[in-house]
Amino acid sequence: ASNQEAEKASDNKPVRYKVRSKAYLYNEPDAGARTQVYMVNEDNFLLAPSAEKNGFVYVTFTNSMGQVVKGWFSKSDLLKVE
């Protein structure tokens, strides 16, 4: 990519999401891969996904206990923040 293209891409505001009420974490972007881990709206995290696939977004974040969590959330459990 040229420098102009790189600059143009960086101008795009990253998409962020927050949890509607409760969102389960998935190991894969598949409804059958749900884990027992979930996030609730009260956590007030803004999620910045690094990938999107099959209606899921992949995120990495540090939870309130200082643990790094990686996985997929269903977009249906999330609300896009403008």
Side-chain angles (χ1 to χ4, degrees), residues 12-27:
N12 293 339
K13 194 173 178 184
V15 176
R16 302 244 191 271
Y17 293 92
K18 65 180 181 178
V19 175
R20 288 182 189 271
S21 59
K22 184 175 183 178
Y24 280 92
L25 193 71
Y26 294 76
N27 286 323

Side-chain angles (χ1 to χ4, degrees), residues 16-70:
R16 302 244 191 271
Y17 293 92
K18 65 180 181 178
V19 175
R20 288 182 189 271
S21 59
K22 184 175 183 178
Y24 280 92
L25 193 71
Y26 294 76
N27 286 323
E28 300 290 332
D30 181 288
R34 192 177 95 175
T35 70
Q36 295 301 308
V37 178
Y38 63 87
M39 181 183 286
V40 293
N41 175 281
E42 289 80 28
D43 291 335
N44 282 322
F45 276 135
L46 275 184
L47 302 169
S50 59
E52 190 173 318
K53 186 176 181 181
N54 297 339
F56 289 80
V57 293
Y58 185 81
V59 297
T60 302
F61 63 93
T62 304
N63 69 14
S64 59
M65 295 180 287
Q67 300 168 315
V68 175
V69 178
K70 298 177 182 181

